[in-house]
Amino acid sequence: MEKGTILIVDDNKGVLASLELLLETEFSEIKTAHHPNQIISILNTSPVDVIILDMNFSAGINNGNEGLYWLKRIREIAPALPVVMLTAYGDVELAVRALKNDATDFLLKPWDNRTLVCKIKEAFGSGKKRKNRVPDRSQSPMIVGTSPAMQQLMKMVVKVARTDANILITGENGTGKEMLAQEIHRLSTRREHTMVTVDMGAISESLFESELFGHERGSFTDAYESRPGKFEAASGSSLFMDEIGNLPLAMQAKLLTVLQNRKITRIGSNKVIPVDIRLLSATNKNIQEMVDSGTFREDLLYRLNTIHLEIPPLRERGNDIHLFIDYFMQRYAAKYEKKDISLHEHALEKLCSYHWPGNIRELQHAIEKAIILCEGNVIRPKDIFVKQTWNPQFSTTVPNLEEVERQAIAAAIRQNDGNLTATAEQLGISRQTLYNKIKRFKL
């Protein structure tokens, strides 16, 4: 038996069971995942030697794009990890595409058991010979999670990433808007070039044109040398405009002109320079409300949001919070050399009961601070510093009855793994009443 770990990722539970049964006598550990969103969390928390990855996960979609997307995600954090793609018989063209995207090998369904075991052992052997087989955990990959909201969001991302459509990303502070923009760029046809980022809210009106369009030497005071602007630098790539909602009206008009014509002229020059950019922008503001109030141009909004992606806040992502807790615990335990540190169950309850107004960024800072300040090897509730919590056990304020009811329903749904019939029975209410409350509380 080989001393290695095989991760099987397939949405068909029959396939998972069959492969697990077939390989458990050949390798020391077999891990399974029924959804690819689990891959990043598994790679960040445990060693894996070979991944068997299905090419298609959405019903009725057989183009293999989902499998290729997740192959690329794996390659970003584990460049040398062997990945064997699994696809239906007759989709050899898909398999060839996978090999061109750096898959190690492919298997066709239905498979021959002997051939399958042989190919996995070959992949395992090649992985042992290659350097950097273990994922680089110094990076911060985007953790997608398994919540329905994020699954739906990522399906949309996979569909639109390879187009040149302009995308507007909205969401609260700390939800990961720039990280999603990076994800879209990585999946795009422009990925060979670095994405250029500009914080629109940090540019003063006097420097707006210079920053975005560039300038020639001597065109204004302190212009000691010619410099390209962000549009020029991003030509052939993606341009990410963060905090687009903070842009004053005067600057909005100038930006709109460039987006319409895709041409810029540096300050101090008469030369017109064409620019080829894919525009991604983000804001935490309600742009439609700004349009209605006259503080944001409607014609500019039309240019920005050919596709609109809304990232849900952490409090609406259910058990996804556990993935982030595990990831940040691993990351900062290694950074501060506290590898034996663990999280007390009451500390975990405190983290899960808090509503995280600062979202993922706030959770990240809370865990980092807890690991730094923790006395001993166990993080306890007193080590978790948050402004307040909705859980009465830890709260310094008394929550209202509606919030208590919402938290009780959410906890029951988690305890029953999303089984609404069991949840209703546990709460002593009918399924219809439960449905009404889920809709009311937006659970």
Side-chain angles (χ1 to χ4, degrees), residues 62-245:
N62 299 300
N63 57 21
N65 285 345
E66 286 181 294
L68 295 177
Y69 164 76
W70 287 104
L71 173 61
K72 183 170 179 59
R73 290 293 308 279
I74 293 166
R75 283 286 165 263
E76 287 164 5
I77 63 170
L81 180 63
V83 180
V84 178
M85 308 301 289
L86 195 60
T87 189
Y89 179 76
D91 289 336
V92 177
E93 185 179 343
L94 284 183
V96 172
R97 286 175 61 197
L99 293 177
K100 288 181 178 179
N101 283 270
D102 202 24
T104 307
D105 207 336
F106 69 90
L107 291 162
L108 297 176
K109 302 177 186 175
W111 59 79
D112 173 76
N113 288 350
R114 184 176 299 178
T115 301
L116 185 144
V117 171
C118 183
K119 286 198 171 190
I120 301 305
K121 284 191 173 183
E122 287 177 0
F124 176 74
S126 70
K128 289 198 295 183
K129 295 175 184 176
R130 297 169 73 178
K131 295 181 179 180
N132 300 322
R133 180 174 56 84
V134 178
D136 178 6
R137 291 180 175 82
S138 65
Q139 296 185 26
S140 300
M142 183 174 182
I143 299 175
V144 177
T146 58
S147 61
M150 287 303 294
Q151 288 183 32
Q152 189 62 37
L153 175 66
M154 294 312 295
K155 284 180 182 178
M156 178 67 76
V157 167
V158 170
K159 286 181 181 178
V160 304
R162 295 184 66 82
T163 73
D164 266 347
N166 294 339
I167 296 177
L168 175 64
I169 304 170
T170 58
E172 297 178 5
N173 281 330
T175 50
K177 294 185 288 296
E178 183 172 359
M179 194 166 283
L180 182 61
Q182 289 282 5
E183 199 67 21
I184 293 168
H185 177 70
R186 290 189 192 108
L187 289 170
S188 76
T189 57
R190 299 168 178 262
R191 59 184 173 271
E192 299 302 322
H193 304 280
T194 302
M195 184 178 83
V196 175
T197 299
V198 55
D199 186 345
M200 303 301 285
I203 302 177
S204 65
E205 192 161 356
S206 61
L207 295 176
F208 176 80
E209 289 186 81
S210 173
E211 185 72 19
L212 290 186
F213 312 143
H215 61 259
E216 295 294 341
R217 180 181 178 183
S219 57
F220 56 86
T221 305
D222 297 331
Y224 299 117
E225 60 183 4
S226 298
R227 189 172 70 90
K230 297 292 187 181
F231 273 93
E232 246 183 290
S235 193
S237 185
S238 302
L239 177 62
F240 175 56
M241 293 183 169
D242 200 6
E243 303 298 346
I244 194 76

Side-chain angles (χ1 to χ4, degrees), residues 43 61 207 229 382 385 436:
L43 290 182
I61 298 178
L207 295 176
K382 65 181 179 62
F385 295 94
N436 293 341

Side-chain angles (χ1 to χ4, degrees), residues 168-175 177 199-202 241-249 252 281-293 295-297 301 304-305 308-311 359:
L168 175 64
I169 304 170
T170 58
E172 297 178 5
N173 281 330
T175 50
K177 294 185 288 296
D199 186 345
M200 303 301 285
M241 293 183 169
D242 200 6
E243 303 298 346
I244 194 76
N246 292 339
L247 199 61
L249 274 170
Q252 291 176 28
S281 51
T283 183
N284 62 351
K285 297 180 180 294
N286 187 319
I287 294 291
Q288 189 56 56
E289 286 184 0
M290 294 179 67
V291 169
D292 295 341
S293 65
T295 56
F296 200 90
R297 295 180 63 114
L301 176 60
L304 299 175
N305 74 338
H308 177 205
L309 300 177
E310 174 83 20
I311 304 182
N359 292 291

Side-chain angles (χ1 to χ4, degrees), residues 15 128 176 251 265-266 319 347 373 392 404 428 434:
V15 170
K128 289 198 295 183
M251 299 186 201
T265 303
R266 291 187 185 181
N319 286 334
L373 300 179
V404 172
L434 177 60

